[in-house]
Amino acid sequence: MIEAEWWDYDSVEEMAEAVAGDVGFIIESALDARGSALIALPADETARAIFPQLGQASLQWKQVMVIPTDDLIVAVDNERSKARALAHAFLSKGARVVPIVTPLDDYRLAGNSADARLQDLPWPPDLAWLSVGSDGSAAGIAAGPDLQDALDAPKARRAVGVMSESGEPRVTLTRSSILSSRTILITLRGQDKRDMLEQAIADGQSSKLPIGRVLAEAEQPIDIHWCA
Ligand SMILES: O=C(O)[C@H](O)[C@@H](O)[C@H](O)[C@H](O)COP(=O)(O)O
């Protein structure tokens, strides 16, 4: 049974303040416990609206490593690169942003390369922050030919390459990487996505949606931050 706590806000600004506070606390706790923090962040629109607030947190950013939960297989200077968005938000704070994409033609090899990079980082992440796609995707785990690979990858495997149904290659953290994270937080907007996520959580392992299948095996409580 998924233990999910919903936090509802009247505006994005309110949500940004609360989520930035929570993420700041997660980072601070990791710094206190281990001297460094590793956080996996989405770099989609909702999350990007929260980054400026988070960036203002007075933290030892130099000890913080930031990775994307998933990324498109594009060069890091491509404006759609999620690593680029994270670098834009956090490099000036002193954080280390670790891109996970090698722009290879074969997305599965790009996945191997992402995995190899992540194998060098202290694991597990202190935070996996997920956004929810309108197709029910979580991180880059989406319906398509590689869904099962991303869901069933062995525990030691940190990232895989996946092809979306629309034919867009990307790399993503595996379900086991997400679930190994010390905390999981979700941000989403809009009633449609809320209805979808509530249903996915209720359906759990039998959910048709990737997000339902990812969360079904979570052992930690999940904080879900929502605004209309
Ligand atoms: O890479 C993508 O195609 C996006 O990651 C997408 O799937 C995203 O997760 C949703 O659009 C939710 O993002 P927002 O909450 O910012 O709308």
Side-chain angles (χ1 to χ4, degrees), residues 8-228:
D8 300 346
Y9 306 97
D10 292 330
S11 65
V12 187
E13 291 74 20
E14 264 185 39
M15 180 158 90
E17 199 176 324
V19 174
D22 282 10
V23 174
F25 178 75
I26 289 166
I27 295 172
E28 214 160 358
S29 306
L31 294 174
D32 284 349
R34 286 173 294 284
S36 67
L38 171 65
I39 55 174
L41 305 189
D44 305 312
E45 210 183 320
T46 305
R48 283 203 306 264
I50 299 170
F51 290 167
Q53 195 95 15
L54 176 58
Q56 280 167 27
S58 146
L59 295 164
Q60 278 183 288
W61 283 102
K62 279 195 168 16
Q63 310 304 326
V64 180
M65 260 175 294
V66 183
I67 56 173
T69 55
D70 64 293
D71 209 343
L72 299 159
I73 302 183
V74 293
V76 80
D77 59 355
N78 185 303
E79 61 177 25
R80 296 183 66 214
S81 158
K82 298 188 181 193
R84 180 178 187 257
L86 294 176
H88 180 73
F90 299 109
L91 274 187
S92 64
K93 310 293 165 198
R96 180 177 160 211
V97 176
V98 182
I100 58 173
V101 163
T102 309
L104 297 168
D105 289 339
D106 181 333
Y107 69 93
R108 290 203 169 92
L109 291 182
N112 294 348
S113 166
D115 184 58
R117 274 193 210 185
L118 295 177
Q119 295 292 340
D120 287 340
L121 301 185
W123 210 252
D126 295 293
L127 167 69
W129 171 353
L130 305 176
S131 62
V132 183
S134 42
D135 54 356
S137 57
I141 306 181
D146 305 294
L147 173 61
Q148 222 51 47
D149 276 1
L151 289 175
D152 295 341
K155 277 209 166 73
R157 178 85 190 199
R158 297 180 180 175
V160 289
V162 291
M163 181 63 77
S164 71
E165 279 184 318
S166 64
E168 194 164 53
R170 64 176 75 203
V171 293
T172 180
L173 293 183
T174 59
R175 168 164 65 176
S176 62
S177 286
I178 292 169
L179 295 181
S180 74
S181 302
R182 292 189 175 92
T183 50
I184 299 177
L185 175 154
I186 297 176
T187 50
L188 76 167
R189 296 188 63 186
Q191 191 61 46
D192 289 354
K193 278 196 186 172
R194 183 187 181 115
D195 294 345
M196 184 181 72
L197 183 57
E198 283 179 340
Q199 188 62 50
I201 289 174
D203 292 344
Q205 202 53 263
S206 64
S207 174
K208 289 196 180 64
L209 300 177
I211 182 84
R213 310 267 300 281
V214 168
L215 297 181
E217 290 181 11
E219 284 171 4
Q220 60 280 69
I222 294 160
D223 284 311
I224 304 176
H225 298 266
W226 176 84
C227 77

